[in-house]
Amino acid sequence: MIKVQPQFRNQIWGNRMLNNLFGINDGKIGEVWLLSGHPLFTTLIDNRSINDISKELCGKDFERFPLLIKLISTSDWLSVQVHPDDEYARSVEKEPWGKNEAWYFLTDGEIAICEEPSRLVEAFEKGNWSDVLRIEKIKKGTFVNIPAGVIHALGSNSTVIEVQQSSDLTYRIYDWGRPRETHIKKALEVSKAVKFEELIVEKINTKYFIMEYVKTSKINGFSVVVPTILEKNFGAFVIPKDSREYVENSVVIKLGEFFLNS
């Protein structure tokens, strides 16, 4: 397995637990980009961009490696937000993909979901966000699937492994009183109705990526391995396409058929 070097992004809602974990004094880390081909932070493996060696690693050439894997930890609520799908991202934002994502909770945490986007107008007019949002506690070890179009927010004191398409497209709807920019028009155009119960799953198996917890197993072929125990030297590991490795107490991520067959 090849260990890759993480990169760090400060956030207003970040948790200094991550600063302590990685020995970084400055700022307040919210996101650790564990593996990325995105131009904002691009992973280097043996001093080469993951975008340049994707065929060696997974057997496919990608101009931008299509998955973005993060460690996220919060001290406050993230904004209520939504992400576009592929079609909207290409036609409106001129980006290759939208942003379907999923979380694995490393700690107990909390999320908010807006099950019915038509109620957003009511929330803007009346300010009754607590009625419009469904807020739920999430237990450690839970997978939550967040398809493009689902209005959501990650709660305070939550630590998750996040896997998503390689996109940074986020439309902010409500930010709990913080004076940050919102993107209401686009958010309303891409939002979809959902039931909270549909989002809680045993493992993530979408056309974009597969994400599952492995207690102990041999893993064959290209995979990204993220340990579920937070400790010094935490990071992601890559298993190249022709390798087989023993893995324990980790989340294992594989490319889905959308990318394998494209």
Side-chain angles (χ1 to χ4, degrees):
M1 287 192 291
I2 305 166
K3 186 173 184 197
V4 294
Q5 194 68 25
Q7 299 179 79
F8 308 99
R9 190 178 191 183
N10 290 339
Q11 297 284 9
I12 192 171
W13 41 260
N15 189 342
R16 287 196 61 83
M17 179 274 289
L18 293 180
N19 293 70
N20 296 333
L21 179 66
F22 290 96
I24 296 174
N25 295 323
D26 296 334
K28 190 163 66 169
I29 297 172
E31 299 179 350
V32 183
W33 289 39
L34 297 170
L35 191 78
S36 167
H38 195 277
L40 184 60
F41 294 112
T42 301
T43 296
L44 297 179
I45 297 177
D46 295 331
N47 294 315
R48 294 183 294 169
S49 165
I50 189 171
N51 298 327
D52 295 335
I53 61 171
S54 65
K55 189 164 188 177
E56 295 176 35
L57 295 175
C58 63
K60 292 278 292 185
D61 275 321
F62 295 108
E63 185 176 342
R64 179 194 298 182
F65 185 76
L67 297 186
L68 173 52
I69 302 171
K70 303 175 184 175
L71 172 67
I72 295 176
S73 190
T74 69
S75 62
D76 201 354
W77 278 90
L78 275 69
S79 63
V80 178
Q81 58 189 244
V82 66
H83 310 301
D85 62 17
D86 294 340
E87 182 180 357
Y88 192 93
R90 287 192 292 264
S91 62
V92 175
E93 304 289 2
K94 311 307 177 190
E95 279 284 307
W97 304 301
K99 188 174 174 183
N100 290 266
E101 64 184 14
W103 298 326
Y104 177 83
F105 277 74
L106 294 174
T107 63
D108 290 351
E110 196 169 18
I111 64 173
I113 300 293
C114 179
E115 295 181 305
E116 183 44 69
S118 64
R119 296 195 67 194
L120 287 177
V121 174
E122 174 189 340
F124 292 132
E125 291 176 350
K126 299 180 180 180
N128 61 335
W129 289 96
S130 60
D131 296 330
V132 172
L133 297 173
R134 180 171 173 179
I135 297 176
E136 295 283 350
K137 301 289 187 183
I138 304 293
K139 290 292 187 183
K140 175 181 177 180
T142 300
F143 283 104
V144 181
N145 189 32
I146 308 288
V150 173
I151 298 169
H152 62 282
L154 182 62
S156 58
N157 301 312
S158 301
T159 301
V160 302
I161 298 168
E162 178 179 274
V163 179
Q164 61 179 80
Q165 290 171 275
S166 184
S167 168
D168 202 37
L169 293 173
T170 296
Y171 302 143
R172 194 178 297 120
I173 298 169
Y174 174 69
D175 204 25
W176 314 96
R178 293 179 295 229
R180 293 197 291 171
E181 180 184 7
T182 55
H183 317 90
I184 306 303
K185 180 179 182 294
K186 289 180 177 179
L188 292 173
E189 288 175 345
V190 304
S191 296
K192 300 173 183 176
V194 70
K195 291 296 184 184
F196 168 78
E197 289 78 10
E198 298 170 358
L199 307 178
I200 308 301
V201 293
E202 291 294 320
K203 69 179 244 185
I204 304 297
N205 190 357
T206 75
K207 68 179 183 179
Y208 299 104
F209 51 83
I210 298 164
M211 183 183 183
E212 63 182 327
Y213 171 74
V214 170
K215 184 174 182 180
T216 177
S217 182
K218 286 278 190 180
I219 303 298
N220 295 317
F222 175 74
S223 307
V224 183
V225 178
V226 183
T228 57
I229 298 173
L230 293 172
E231 57 188 3
K232 297 293 184 183
N233 298 315
F234 183 91
F237 297 83
V238 173
I239 301 175
K241 61 183 178 67
D242 296 322
S243 298
R244 186 180 186 199
E245 297 284 351
Y246 178 79
V247 170
E248 60 181 6
N249 296 324
S250 297
V251 170
V252 176
I253 301 117
K254 291 180 176 287
L255 290 169
E257 62 183 15
F258 178 86
F259 295 121
L260 290 175
N261 298 330
S262 60

